[in-house]
Amino acid sequence: GADGCLLGAKRTLQRRRPGLTCLDKPGFRPREPRVEPCACQLKDTECDYGFERVNGTCLAMQGVPADACPGLQKSGYVLSATKLRKVHADVCEGIERLIPDAESQGAGGGGKGRGGGGFWKGLFYAVLVPGIVLVVAGVVWANCLPETLKLELAGAAEPLLAGLASAGWALLDAIVAVYDAVRLRVGGWRRRQEIGDAYFEPLADRLEVDPEDHRSPPLFR
């Protein structure tokens, strides 16, 4: 623009003037590129998802329902009340003056809830929290509980542990059964593919090679 800002910053770098064929002196080092952020302006924003700019105003797209993008709905992204979002990779400063709500302020136009981070965060907590509980329980069991209470708790927990063990073995058996079924199905498909390929092989006597090299694969092994 006229202010020299591109994607929210002024970038200054040194390069050889176009058309010149001179060479740099030994040991010459160009100046490091310099980036100076600019104050955010309306040109640093774009219409939010599902909206388009009409005469300078972001209006809802005709025929595009709010739930047209399932991935956006699942990500937890919240549309800005201003119907604006920061342009991707824009690094201008002071976007809160134009977009007060936080979701569309992030550099790169991303909100806090965008992307697939929710799944990994949930998985992380699902592993971390039980791990912490088990560690604390182990420390308390080893150092804080008297032997009589340990025996009582062990007796009370025995049926529960037995049930969990049975459920675990049942789940393992189910996984093995599914694996065997898939392996048999894939193996049968491969055998049919081999037989089909052998059917279309050229006759050995026309190629003048050893007939043993062009036998069809056996139907049974």
Side-chain angles (χ1 to χ4, degrees):
D3 55 1
C5 295
L6 177 64
L7 288 176
K10 294 181 180 179
R11 294 169 172 83
T12 304
L13 53 88
Q14 186 182 37
R15 64 179 182 179
R16 186 169 54 189
R17 185 179 302 172
L20 297 182
T21 58
C22 58
L23 301 177
D24 296 329
K25 296 180 180 180
F28 171 78
R29 287 188 177 183
R31 297 176 183 175
E32 292 292 331
R34 188 171 68 252
V35 179
E36 301 177 11
C38 301
C40 289
Q41 305 177 46
L42 190 60
K43 66 179 182 180
D44 296 300
T45 66
E46 61 185 356
C47 293
D48 218 332
Y49 295 105
F51 293 83
E52 59 182 346
R53 203 181 297 272
V54 179
N55 296 327
T57 303
C58 290
L59 302 177
M61 294 181 178
Q62 297 296 326
V64 179
D67 57 351
C69 182
L72 183 62
Q73 301 295 324
K74 294 178 181 179
S75 69
Y77 180 85
V78 180
L79 296 178
S80 170
T82 63
K83 308 301 185 293
L84 296 173
R85 62 192 297 268
K86 198 174 184 181
V87 172
H88 180 74
D90 197 297
V91 295
C92 68
E93 295 180 344
I95 191 64
E96 64 276 359
R97 294 184 294 102
L98 301 173
I99 308 176
D101 41 354
E103 278 296 321
S104 300
Q105 290 182 17
K112 297 178 181 178
R114 296 183 63 209
F119 169 77
W120 295 109
K121 184 183 295 184
L123 182 62
F124 174 75
Y125 285 122
V127 174
L128 178 64
V129 173
I132 294 176
V133 172
L134 289 176
V135 170
V136 173
V139 172
V140 173
W141 178 275
N143 301 295
C144 301
L145 298 182
E147 292 298 328
T148 54
L149 184 57
K150 289 181 181 180
L151 293 175
E152 293 179 3
L153 292 177
E158 185 176 356
L160 176 61
L161 295 177
L164 292 176
S166 300
W169 283 113
L171 178 61
L172 180 60
D173 291 340
I175 294 175
V176 171
V178 171
Y179 170 77
D180 290 340
V182 172
R183 185 165 57 88
L184 290 175
R185 184 178 294 273
V186 173
W189 177 83
R190 288 179 177 174
R191 290 292 304 129
R192 290 193 297 270
Q193 186 68 25
E194 290 177 359
I195 295 173
D197 292 342
Y199 179 81
F200 290 101
E201 283 186 358
L203 296 178
D205 56 352
R206 295 183 181 180
L207 297 177
E208 298 181 357
V209 295
D210 186 355
E212 292 296 320
D213 293 337
H214 281 265
R215 291 183 304 171
S216 298
L219 297 179
F220 302 96
R221 293 182 178 178

